[in-house]
Amino acid sequence: MGEFKVHRVRFFNYVPSGIRCVAYNNQSNRLAVSRTDGTVEIYNLSANYFQEKFFPGHESRATEALCWAKGQRLFSAGLNGEIIEYDLQALNIKYAVDAFGGPIWSMAISPHGSQLLVGCEDGSLKLFQITLDKIQFERNFDRQKSRILSLSWHPSGTHVAAGSIDYISVFDVKSGSAVHKMLVDRQYMSVSKRKCIIWGVAFLSDGTVISVDSAGKVQFWDSATGTLVKNHLIANADVQSIAVSDQEDSFVVGTAEGTVFHFQLVSVTSNSSEKQWVRTKPFQHHTHDVRAVAHSPTALISGGTDTHLVIRPLMEKVEVKNYDAALRKITFPHRRLISCSKKRQLLLFQFAHHLELWRLGSTVATGKNGDTLPLSKDADHLLHLKTKGPENIICSCISPCGSWIAYSTTSRFFLYRLNYEHDNISLQRVSKMPAFLRSALQILFSEDSTKLFVASNQGSLHVIRLLEGSFKHLHTFQPQSGTVESMCLLAVSPDGNWLAASGTSAGVHVYNIKHLKLHCTVPSYNFPVTALAIAPNTNNLVIAHSDQQVFEYSIPDKQYTEWSRTIQKQGFHYLWLQRDTPITHISFHPKRPMHILLHDAYMFCIIDKSLPLPNDKTLLYNPLPPTNESDVIRRRTAHAFKISKIYKPLLFMDLLDERTLVAVERPLDDIIAQLPPPIKKKKFGT
Amino acid sequence: MAALEEGFTLSGVPLGAGPHGLLGVEQSDKTDQFLVTDGGRTVILYKVSDQKPLGSWSVKQGQIITCPAVCNFQTGEYIVVHDNKVLRIWSNEDVNLDKVFKATLSAEINRIHSIQGTEPLVLFKKGAVRGLEALLAEPQQKIETVISDEEVIKWTKIFMVFRHPVLIFITEKHGNYFAYIQMFNSRTLSKYTLLLGQEEKSVIQSFSASVDQKFISLMSLSSDGCIYETLIPIHPSDPEKNQRVVRSLLLKTVVSGNARNGVALTVLDQDHLAVLGPPLPASKECLSIWNTKFQTLQTSKELPQGTSGQLWYYGENLFMLHGKFLTVVPYKCEVSSLAGALGKLKHSQDPGPQTVPHFVNWETSQGYGLQSSEHSKRILRRRKIEVSVQPPASKQLLSTIKKDSEKHIEVELCKFLAIKQTPDFHTVIGDIVLELLGRHKAEPSFYPRNSLMQLVQTHVLSYSLCPGLMEVALEKADVQMLQLCLQQFPDIPESVTCACLKIFLSINDDSLQEAEINMESVSDYSDSVQEEKMEEQTEILHNGFSPEENCDNCDRELNEKSRAAAEETTSCPVIPKRAALLNAILHSAYSEMFLLPHLKDIPAQHVTLFLQYLYFLYLKCSENATMTLPGLHPPTLNQIMDWICLLLDANFTVVVMIPEAKRLLLSLYKFVKSQICICSELNKIEVSFRELQKLSQEKNNRELYSIEVLELF
């Protein structure tokens, strides 16, 4: 298959933000995750846990609560005191409403989905009415002494439990007054702590209130009498989160020690209707605080400071052994954060608030497989570009020639011109961006760096011609009438004639750049697109989906290619379909038209379309070099998928030229090293 | 119920050509493989399950094998003696016995004994015993004479008692029999004269023996056809003195009194014997299994072609020479019960360990019965449950319990347990126990102890399934039941654990001796003498810490005293049966908070006793490097420490006032202090290791960028 020099890059110092909230939506089987930097991500659990949407973070917008309301509406509230609704179609913030109660610590949607309650720093609970396109303040509940850290509605919607510091209040929704105030014991292992913070409450339909607190307790209260019924001491540290299943027969709590406990309602004896809550299973998938948990019908979902999103299926609820039966740990975003200029061998790294430009080193040495070559020139950090303002960067791109850099935040679009004079680089911002170029979801330069393609929210695609130091707006492709779905992925053909764009659900649209019109639409598929690319010469569009299927579509012929039909007929290798990270990048070999390069977080693969496809009996991944077998055997056992798992976790991989690859890795240890230290557990002695 | 299965013949050459039949059948180091030594010149290695020989070795013409070949379990080699004095040692790969290792000894060998867990022991005709290693080091060493001139060794056997070999051999001199017990851990040889009782004239034809904690039970088959049992203590009260032991009749006339050929017996287990010989004067030879407890013949098998009057028993197989061929008869004995002995039990169930499902499903009991079938339809991965409200068998049993006699219930219960288990088995068992207890409450004389024990041993019960059971057992001070419950139930409340502890500490030794208690958690601490003891490391200065320095001055003063005390405590302060019970307490689960208040109620002298026992265990623990106790299921160091802390926390003010506890407290204080030191040292080491890890990580991090060559094939 060939020998490559691989630039193995581990200096992309990317650290994902910790997870703050998770909210599971049963109707759409989607999971909303908010991170400490304010980013909100939407995972589609039906599509192999693909992260299909995200809303960029904002420095001042620390999300403390995240809720789904009726009709797939997503709300968040945070320490800036605002309640935000997200537009899941256009991928932007619909509106923000100030609750005027100081920082908001908690939020809960009423069981009927028509009301929204927030708990504020000043001890107030504010009830909002959810209208068709907005929320409307309705009234305040009786104000409490200290901040309201957790909220839960009774399933009938008549009462609300609110966790504060040292006590839990039960409110009557109609009158807005507290019916009961349940004081929580501050004692912790017979040592009195200063305060006992109620991190979470859950109100069950039988009137039981479950609370979790900073003293490591899970407590069951009778809300009718306001008395403590049962107490489970489960941790030496805070219990920070709780989530109850819809059937109310099981719930999950997360602790600051990284443990997740599963509680289930189990019959006391056989044939008796008397049931009690039993702590059944502990899970230790996290190293740090588990800040948020969710309970889907088939899985326990948890996330926290260690940035992993863990989906632990409940084995007794899983019907068949498939994707859903496996433990999932999602660490890296399912989108690209890196772009590369092949001509100048540059890498552009995207961080939340800055960009880094690096020039790769070089070597003159050669070697054999596995060798590390001596560097004649080390990699250089050329540029550190900080954004202005509090908003996170949504996307960024460097042009193939290396002389343009573009990036976008939620409200502004930036384009820079880079000039290289020997070792000096000068950066010049292209000013006077047109008004329509405000926010981009995806940016792409054409292969010859003369055109810039920008996918904005609201579904429009802008084509801009780049001139020396300035630009000219050529055209805007408006979305199909009636749809407002934003395009998240773009691909342009190397000859510059075709542009492919894909949203999250509808099919892939292919535009003719020469004639500036829609050429065709690839039929939509059940699973979202994770990566797109157009092959040189043939103009075949290769599409990877989150269910690990790969299609090849001929743009000129407007149909799937023969190879694509063959592989669909035969089916992919079962191990290929069992991979659990999506393909995030596809590229091609300039000299070998039959090759397709693609990678996910744990492998990269070169598909050689000229070789026979593997069936389920063939060995898909063979890490060992062939021994001295005859060429005949080698040829007979060779198949189209050449897989390498040397580089992982792999965030980016591309061909720089025929014989050079660049691989950007981000070892997990490096991320862990940058996290705050976990709670220290003594191994010896007590 | 004991049963003989269909036997089979091991193919190969006809055996038993020599005058005395076979020399022996011995185990090899692989299960299922046995060394058969023919009386002539041949040793054959058989694989029994394949019924075929794996290897065969012969000595040269003119030489004659004089002692059965054995396997050295430590090296896997085989050892044989020919011409009384010549040792040959070979392994599987060797072909020719003539070319293998050879050692000529200075005295004639009677037998070589080899057993798992120790080196082979060589017994000389004059009664001396040597380890093989020592012999090989100096083959021509002088071998002393132990037995008198005209004594002849008739029979010998080796046992492992508390991990040490014990050899017994029987000699005869002018119709008088003597038993010699050679202990290897203490190197003592004790001699016993076997008194034959009234049957003075009878000749003993065959011996067999079994061993338990204290006694070797020697069975002898006399020429009058009766089997006698002789109990010989393992630990003699006075080894120097020649002692007498009397034999008592065990089974009457199992074989015909004047059998022509030899007769043989072997002990199969606690209650079963196998006897080879003609049951009636005229009849053909038979292999019969006898139950000594019920004095009944369990099963027998006719051997029409005659035997050599030799019988061996290994694992589950009986070996004998039937005609000219070696025959193997598999023998099975399931748990014997009264019903079984009476022949009423058809299939008793296998008491093997439960197969535990792959993951614990807390919902099975919920899904069963109560919730509708739509629930189970959804859960396809779960085993299909046979939905029936209550199996009729259990219903029937429940009605039996209501009115029938204890014995009948037992029989019915055995029948019920023999049926295959349903998914809701544990709840049904729980119901049965509750029913039994309910009847006990109604008529206090009804206490179906055996049935309850059997139910507890199904491994599916828990405290919450039958809350009354332990209360009843506590009431009756049924320590055996309590021990069983403590071992089996995962969820005993602390108050009940503590009540058990109180009973275990207060019950007097006499009533304990009567109880049948599972002793597997206790091993004989007394014989693990100081040989394994670690060197006392008080001299070594740790990193910034010297244990001596940290001890107070007054402590040093007391050092002498406490050392004496320590020596005192090396003997176990409680009898082994009590120790077994206390170990069950140590193994049980508890939560400190709930246990502490109950511990306060224990009387002071019992607290002291328990503390002494715990301290004794701790000392035993610290004797070896792994900090574990010997035995099958010993309490762990953590359990011991936790209980010491708990007891002291609960009763400190009381204990501190008792004068006899003072010394104990001081030594406890000292060892706690040393534990703290160890922990702090360990924590220091942990931190150092973490730093090292960090350093090595940094080293890796330095390679942030490299260019490598990759070839894809």
Side-chain angles (χ1 to χ4, degrees):
Chain A
M1 196 56 99
E3 199 179 76
F4 296 98
K5 266 184 200 170
V6 184
H7 292 264
R8 192 169 186 174
V9 173
R10 290 197 212 86
F11 48 71
F12 178 34
N13 194 14
Y14 168 75
V15 180
S17 304
I19 291 173
R20 180 62 195 89
C21 314
V22 292
Y24 173 72
N25 185 309
N26 207 353
Q27 272 87 47
S28 62
N29 200 22
R30 277 176 172 78
L31 185 75
V33 173
S34 81
R35 297 189 180 260
T36 45
D37 66 349
T39 309
V40 173
E41 294 159 355
I42 312 287
Y43 291 84
N44 186 347
L45 302 195
S46 309
N48 289 341
Y49 309 90
F50 181 61
Q51 182 193 324
E52 55 178 14
K53 292 166 192 175
F54 85 101
F55 301 91
H58 191 284
E59 265 177 1
S60 68
R61 219 170 53 210
T63 321
E64 282 293 321
L66 198 63
C67 291
W68 290 94
K70 201 160 70 178
Q72 318 285 321
R73 292 170 71 177
L74 183 66
F75 291 90
S76 81
L79 298 184
N80 62 353
E82 285 179 346
I83 304 167
I84 293 164
E85 183 176 357
Y86 297 89
D87 186 333
L88 296 175
Q89 285 295 314
L91 301 187
N92 57 12
I93 286 166
K94 227 185 214 170
Y95 56 84
V97 173
D98 199 319
F100 296 107
I104 299 173
W105 289 97
S106 54
M107 175 168 67
I109 305 274
S110 72
H112 310 299
S114 56
Q115 284 167 315
L116 187 152
L117 189 68
V118 292
C120 305
E121 170 75 16
D122 63 357
S124 62
L125 284 108
K126 293 169 191 288
L127 189 67
F128 288 80
Q129 193 73 39
I130 302 175
T131 59
L132 213 55
D133 54 352
K134 213 122 186 184
I135 53 170
Q136 182 75 49
F137 176 71
E138 201 171 302
R139 62 198 157 90
N140 274 319
F141 283 13
D142 286 358
R143 199 160 136 189
Q144 301 298 303
K145 269 193 273 204
S146 50
R147 60 176 73 145
I148 307 296
L149 286 150
S150 48
L151 280 175
S152 177
W153 287 77
H154 187 270
S156 68
T158 55
H159 289 81
V160 163
S164 184
I165 293 168
D166 286 337
Y167 65 89
I168 303 158
S169 314
V170 179
F171 289 91
D172 182 54
V173 175
K174 222 176 226 170
S175 65
S177 56
V179 188
H180 280 296
K181 194 166 159 184
M182 302 178 291
L183 285 177
V184 179
D185 193 2
R186 285 182 182 183
Q187 293 251 317
Y188 162 70
M189 302 284 279
S190 67
V191 180
S192 190
K193 267 196 165 182
R194 220 152 42 94
K195 271 169 186 171
C196 183
I197 301 161
I198 315 299
W199 285 119
V201 286
F203 212 144
L204 305 185
S205 38
D206 65 355
T208 304
V209 174
I210 309 169
S211 70
V212 296
D213 59 40
S214 61
K217 300 190 293 274
V218 175
Q219 292 184 311
F220 296 80
W221 306 83
D222 184 344
S223 67
T225 55
T227 48
L228 179 64
V229 179
K230 211 170 174 192
N231 182 11
H232 285 263
L233 184 70
I234 60 164
N236 289 327
D238 298 33
V239 185
Q240 292 183 312
S241 43
I242 177 168
V244 184
S245 73
D246 285 347
Q247 284 83 35
E248 296 190 355
D249 59 353
S250 93
F251 70 87
V252 54
V253 298
T255 73
E257 287 165 333
T259 322
V260 169
F261 290 101
H262 189 202
F263 282 74
Q264 279 172 284
L265 193 61
V266 175
S267 300
V268 180
T269 55
S270 67
N271 310 335
S272 83
S273 56
E274 192 193 344
K275 292 186 171 188
Q276 66 181 25
W277 286 102
V278 176
R279 189 177 86 193
T280 52
K281 296 169 217 149
F283 302 110
Q284 181 88 44
H285 298 301
H286 295 277
T287 52
H288 290 67
D289 304 34
V290 179
R291 297 297 301 272
V293 287
H295 196 311
S296 86
T298 56
L300 307 180
I301 300 155
S302 55
T305 314
D306 63 0
T307 76
H308 304 296
L309 178 68
V310 174
I311 299 163
R312 170 66 170 72
L314 296 168
M315 295 309 285
E316 65 267 26
K317 300 268 174 78
V318 177
E319 296 181 12
V320 278
K321 187 175 179 287
N322 64 355
Y323 259 122
D324 302 332
L327 172 80
R328 289 304 192 80
K329 212 169 192 177
I330 301 168
T331 311
F332 297 104
H334 292 162
R335 59 179 199 278
R336 269 201 290 146
L337 300 173
I338 297 154
S339 53
C340 142
S341 155
K342 294 185 183 183
K343 200 175 143 205
R344 287 191 182 268
Q345 309 227 317
L346 302 174
L347 286 178
L348 182 72
F349 297 146
Q350 176 191 324
F351 296 85
H353 291 286
H354 71 273
L355 298 171
E356 279 180 17
L357 186 65
W358 289 74
R359 176 158 45 208
L360 293 172
S362 59
T363 181
V364 287
T366 51
K368 59 179 196 307
N369 186 26
D371 285 357
T372 303
L373 303 175
L375 298 177
S376 56
K377 195 157 90 43
D378 205 353
D380 286 334
H381 187 181
L382 298 180
L383 199 65
H384 184 102
L385 192 60
K386 244 188 102 43
T387 59
K388 298 178 178 69
E391 291 167 332
N392 286 13
I393 297 172
I394 303 175
C395 58
S396 62
C397 193
I398 185 166
S399 68
C401 67
S403 42
W404 299 92
I405 287 177
Y407 74 90
S408 170
T409 66
T410 315
S411 58
R412 288 174 85 182
F413 184 89
F414 299 87
L415 181 64
Y416 291 92
R417 171 86 183 159
L418 289 166
N419 288 308
Y420 301 86
E421 284 160 23
H422 307 294
D423 277 350
N424 294 333
I425 302 158
S426 60
L427 187 74
Q428 189 191 353
R429 175 153 179 220
V430 180
S431 53
K432 293 193 195 109
M433 282 283 133
F436 60 84
L437 268 185
R438 269 188 48 230
S439 155
L441 291 172
Q442 185 68 270
I443 307 168
L444 189 71
F445 289 92
S446 68
E447 199 81 345
D448 56 3
S449 306
T450 57
K451 288 197 183 77
L452 172 67
F453 307 100
V454 178
S456 73
N457 45 22
Q458 315 299 344
S460 50
L461 275 175
H462 307 292
V463 184
I464 291 152
R465 173 182 299 253
L466 297 170
L467 305 161
E468 190 71 30
S470 67
F471 61 91
K472 191 180 156 215
H473 178 226
L474 279 184
H475 186 73
T476 296
F477 294 111
Q478 291 300 337
Q480 256 71 10
S481 55
T483 61
V484 282
E485 196 196 41
S486 297
M487 296 295 148
C488 307
L489 289 167
L490 294 176
V492 68
S493 67
D495 60 13
N497 288 342
W498 309 102
L499 175 71
S502 147
T504 51
S505 57
V508 180
H509 303 291
V510 180
Y511 300 93
N512 187 326
I513 306 290
K514 256 189 196 154
H515 303 108
L516 297 173
K517 66 178 178 70
L518 181 71
H519 175 67
C520 61
T521 299
V522 182
S524 71
Y525 184 66
N526 299 345
F527 288 88
V529 178
T530 66
L532 273 183
I534 302 174
N537 306 323
T538 57
N539 283 330
N540 286 339
L541 173 67
V542 179
I543 311 165
H545 290 275
S546 73
D547 62 344
Q548 312 297 2
Q549 297 287 345
V550 177
F551 293 95
E552 193 187 38
Y553 184 84
S554 167
I555 294 175
D557 300 344
K558 295 191 187 180
Q559 62 175 356
Y560 287 111
T561 63
E562 201 51 48
W563 180 81
S564 184
R565 286 171 207 273
T566 318
I567 197 157
Q568 284 307 316
K569 223 176 276 167
Q570 193 189 318
F572 282 85
H573 195 277
Y574 72 102
L575 288 176
W576 176 269
L577 297 176
Q578 277 173 11
R579 291 177 304 116
D580 64 355
T581 48
I583 288 167
T584 48
H585 185 56
I586 303 170
S587 57
F588 302 94
H589 198 287
K591 289 282 159 64
R592 294 182 191 149
M594 296 309 276
H595 287 191
I596 305 171
L597 270 84
L598 21 78
H599 77 84
D600 66 16
Y602 297 102
M603 61 108 216
F604 88 90
C605 174
I606 299 180
I607 299 178
D608 186 342
K609 291 187 284 176
S610 61
L611 288 176
L613 296 169
N615 59 27
D616 280 359
K617 283 181 206 115
T618 12
L619 189 66
L620 182 69
Y621 168 57
N622 181 16
L624 302 165
T627 46
N628 299 327
E629 287 164 346
S630 67
D631 269 6
V632 184
I633 297 177
R634 195 190 297 183
R635 222 166 279 149
R636 206 169 52 214
T637 52
H639 59 77
F641 290 73
K642 304 292 168 200
I643 292 174
S644 165
K645 297 189 181 178
I646 296 174
Y647 314 106
K648 56 191 177 184
L650 188 60
L651 296 193
F652 178 74
M653 180 134 207
D654 206 348
L655 263 174
L656 290 176
D657 58 51
E658 290 164 41
R659 301 229 147 268
T660 317
L661 282 166
V662 57
V664 181
E665 286 175 284
R666 184 63 183 147
L668 282 177
D669 288 344
D670 296 359
I671 295 180
I672 292 164
Q674 298 201 19
L675 296 176
I679 288 181
K680 189 172 176 283
K681 285 186 215 158
K682 252 192 183 175
K683 281 207 179 86
F684 309 103
T686 45
Chain B
M1 177 78 183
L4 288 174
E5 288 175 19
E6 198 57 47
F8 50 86
T9 314
L10 293 181
S11 61
V13 287
L15 297 166
H20 305 295
L22 288 178
L23 272 181
V25 178
E26 291 281 340
Q27 280 178 298
S28 89
D29 56 335
K30 294 183 189 68
T31 51
D32 200 34
Q33 294 184 11
F34 295 89
L35 283 168
V36 178
T37 313
D38 193 15
R41 296 163 34 222
T42 323
V43 179
I44 302 170
L45 180 67
Y46 276 109
K47 188 168 168 67
V48 166
S49 56
D50 291 357
Q51 305 184 18
K52 66 172 189 196
L54 296 179
S56 164
W57 298 270
S58 298
V59 291
K60 255 200 311 205
Q61 193 90 40
Q63 296 174 339
I64 182 151
I65 296 178
T66 52
C67 142
V70 294
C71 176
N72 184 346
F73 290 102
Q74 291 177 332
T75 62
E77 292 166 327
Y78 308 124
I79 310 155
V80 77
V81 179
H82 64 79
D83 301 319
N84 288 319
K85 280 185 176 179
V86 187
L87 274 180
R88 292 281 188 180
I89 300 179
W90 79 100
S91 67
N92 253 328
E93 288 82 48
D94 294 314
V95 181
N96 194 341
L97 267 194
D98 218 28
K99 291 185 179 154
V100 301
F101 177 84
K102 173 183 174 181
T104 309
L105 306 180
S106 62
E108 294 195 337
I109 297 169
N110 179 274
R111 256 201 90 161
I112 303 177
H113 281 287
S114 180
I115 192 167
Q116 273 303 355
T118 180
E119 62 166 333
L121 298 167
V122 179
L123 173 65
F124 290 93
K125 284 203 170 154
K126 284 297 159 201
V129 182
R130 290 288 144 81
L132 183 69
E133 295 302 318
L135 261 184
L136 292 181
E138 198 191 334
Q140 285 297 325
Q141 61 183 274
K142 189 154 165 35
I143 306 296
E144 72 277 8
T145 301
V146 174
I147 56 176
S148 61
D149 266 356
E150 286 161 10
E151 274 183 80
V152 179
I153 296 179
K154 281 280 179 195
W155 177 86
T156 87
K157 190 166 165 100
I158 190 167
F159 299 103
M160 286 300 270
V161 179
F162 304 122
R163 299 191 294 161
H164 293 285
V166 173
L167 185 76
I168 174 169
F169 58 94
I170 311 284
T171 62
E172 191 227 29
K173 184 187 180 184
H174 307 314
N176 295 319
Y177 291 91
F178 306 96
Y180 293 83
I181 310 280
Q182 172 86 57
M183 303 275 295
F184 286 88
N185 58 331
S186 55
R187 294 251 154 232
T188 51
L189 177 75
S190 0
K191 182 181 176 181
Y192 298 89
T193 309
L194 296 185
L195 296 182
L196 299 184
Q198 286 136 17
E199 298 76 26
E200 286 293 345
K201 278 167 248 68
S202 65
V203 180
I204 299 179
Q205 287 177 310
S206 178
F207 291 97
S208 183
S210 63
V211 70
D212 64 4
Q213 311 270 339
K214 287 204 172 101
F215 293 101
I216 293 173
S217 138
L218 180 71
M219 312 277 181
S220 46
L221 181 59
S222 280
S223 54
D224 59 357
C226 300
I227 294 173
Y228 298 89
E229 186 183 29
T230 313
L231 290 180
I232 303 171
I234 296 173
H235 303 290
S237 46
D238 185 2
E240 301 304 317
K241 224 166 69 186
N242 189 351
Q243 293 163 89
R244 288 149 184 266
V245 282
V246 185
R247 60 181 199 164
S248 57
L249 185 66
L250 191 69
L251 282 174
K252 225 174 176 178
T253 333
V254 291
V255 289
S256 152
N258 47 3
R260 281 174 295 112
N261 288 338
V263 291
L265 93 159
T266 183
V267 178
L268 299 174
D269 57 42
Q270 222 182 336
D271 303 328
H272 291 89
L273 289 173
V275 180
L276 193 66
L280 294 168
S283 67
K284 285 183 175 144
E285 285 183 61
C286 263
L287 173 68
S288 31
I289 308 290
W290 287 82
N291 185 321
T292 54
K293 206 175 193 175
F294 301 112
Q295 303 268 320
T296 49
L297 175 68
Q298 297 275 296
T299 178
S300 86
K301 187 183 176 76
E302 205 167 81
L303 301 164
Q305 292 166 38
T307 67
S308 62
Q310 287 167 299
L311 187 62
W312 294 271
Y313 174 62
Y314 293 110
E316 286 179 339
N317 293 317
L318 284 159
F319 297 81
M320 72 219 73
L321 204 58
H322 183 205
K324 284 282 174 215
F325 292 97
L326 185 64
T327 301
V328 182
V329 180
Y331 158 78
K332 280 251 164 69
C333 180
E334 270 117 32
V335 177
S336 93
S337 60
L338 181 60
L342 292 172
K344 281 187 180 169
L345 187 65
K346 290 251 165 55
H347 313 279
S348 96
Q349 68 137 10
D350 188 48
Q354 287 285 119
T355 47
V356 184
H358 181 58
F359 55 86
V360 185
N361 190 346
W362 287 77
E363 286 178 344
T364 20
S365 66
Q366 243 170 297
Y368 166 73
L370 293 173
Q371 258 146 18
S372 56
S373 55
E374 48 133 56
H375 193 87
S376 58
K377 226 184 280 166
R378 270 207 44 218
I379 300 152
L380 297 177
R381 287 193 53 180
R382 195 185 293 170
R383 228 174 342 141
K384 287 257 173 356
I385 299 167
E386 301 158 38
V387 181
S388 57
V389 179
Q390 180 104 309
S394 66
K395 226 172 199 176
Q396 208 180 325
L397 183 62
L398 288 180
S399 67
T400 312
I401 290 169
K402 282 207 181 82
K403 48 189 191 292
D404 279 343
S405 69
E406 252 174 69
K407 284 223 169 106
H408 188 212
I409 291 171
E410 249 172 71
V411 174
E412 287 298 315
L413 183 64
C414 285
K415 275 189 201 159
F416 174 72
L417 291 180
I419 325 171
K420 77 178 169 67
Q421 300 184 359
T422 47
D424 58 323
F425 185 65
H426 60 285
T427 62
V428 175
I429 294 289
D431 291 341
I432 294 171
V433 175
L434 286 181
E435 195 71 41
L436 286 170
L437 293 174
R439 185 158 166 209
H440 168 74
K441 209 169 248 176
E443 38 180 310
S445 60
F446 175 83
Y447 183 53
R449 188 157 174 276
N450 290 335
S451 304
L452 288 173
M453 298 272 254
Q454 207 170 349
L455 285 166
V456 173
Q457 273 160 337
T458 52
H459 299 279
V460 296
L461 277 182
S462 59
Y463 181 85
S464 39
L465 268 177
C466 49
L469 178 61
M470 287 191 78
E471 268 78 2
V472 171
L474 281 171
E475 220 172 84
K476 300 232 168 225
D478 185 349
V479 285
Q480 190 190 355
M481 175 78 86
L482 289 175
Q483 187 198 21
L484 206 57
C485 292
L486 282 169
Q487 284 165 349
Q488 302 285 352
F489 294 175
D491 56 343
I492 298 172
E494 283 76 0
S495 58
V496 178
T497 313
C498 207
C500 292
L501 177 61
K502 271 186 223 167
I503 286 198
F504 292 169
L505 286 170
S506 60
I507 193 165
N508 57 6
D509 282 1
D510 298 338
S511 42
L512 262 185
Q513 288 298 2
E514 287 160 23
E516 263 181 61
I517 288 164
N518 179 0
M519 303 286 290
E520 68 176 14
S521 67
V522 184
S523 61
D524 192 3
Y525 301 120
S526 59
D527 71 331
S528 58
V529 210
Q530 271 76 0
E531 52 194 75
E532 285 177 14
K533 200 165 186 177
M534 285 201 304
E535 277 177 60
E536 283 184 34
Q537 299 190 329
T538 43
E539 299 308 311
I540 294 171
L541 244 152
H542 299 284
N543 184 17
F545 155 71
S546 147
E548 285 301 303
E549 261 174 295
N550 282 20
C551 293
D552 299 328
N553 274 342
C554 64
D555 198 55
R556 195 171 295 174
E557 231 170 81
L558 276 162
N559 244 356
E560 292 304 306
K561 270 190 200 170
S562 59
R563 190 151 297 161
E567 259 140 49
E568 257 172 49
T569 41
T570 44
S571 65
C572 185
V574 296
I575 62 165
K577 286 204 170 173
R578 198 189 298 279
L581 293 174
L582 293 177
N583 285 353
I585 294 276
L586 295 187
H587 279 303
S588 63
Y590 62 88
S591 163
E592 287 174 24
M593 216 191 286
F594 301 113
L595 190 62
L596 275 176
H598 299 290
L599 285 178
K600 289 196 171 111
D601 305 339
I602 302 179
Q605 76 267 28
H606 289 159
V607 170
T608 328
L609 178 68
F610 194 24
L611 272 178
Q612 269 164 355
Y613 175 62
L614 289 168
Y615 183 57
F616 162 76
L617 287 181
Y618 170 76
L619 286 179
K620 284 285 151 201
C621 262
S622 41
E623 267 173 16
N624 62 23
T626 53
M627 305 287 264
T628 50
L629 288 169
L632 202 59
H633 223 3
T636 64
L637 182 64
N638 278 343
Q639 285 167 338
I640 297 165
M641 297 293 285
D642 289 347
W643 271 93
I644 291 177
C645 298
L646 278 170
L647 274 180
L648 287 178
D649 280 350
N651 298 295
F652 188 73
T653 46
V654 181
V655 174
V656 109
M657 301 302 287
I658 306 174
E660 57 263 36
K662 194 168 184 183
R663 197 181 274 170
L664 181 68
L665 279 183
L666 272 173
S667 29
L668 281 173
Y669 169 73
K670 237 176 79 183
F671 89 64
V672 166
K673 205 160 188 180
S674 70
Q675 286 282 319
I676 291 171
C677 292
I678 290 173
C679 284
S680 77
E681 293 300 303
L682 283 172
N683 281 321
K684 273 185 214 164
I685 294 170
E686 193 201 354
V687 173
S688 322
F689 274 127
R690 196 169 308 138
E691 287 306 313
L692 277 177
Q693 204 179 359
K694 234 182 244 169
L695 279 178
S696 72
Q697 256 174 19
E698 269 166 33
K699 206 173 142 200
N700 286 340
N701 284 359
R702 235 169 268 148
E703 296 169 24
L704 285 178
Y705 176 64
S706 58
I707 301 180
E708 293 174 11
V709 178
L710 172 75
E711 195 180 348
L712 283 176
F713 302 100

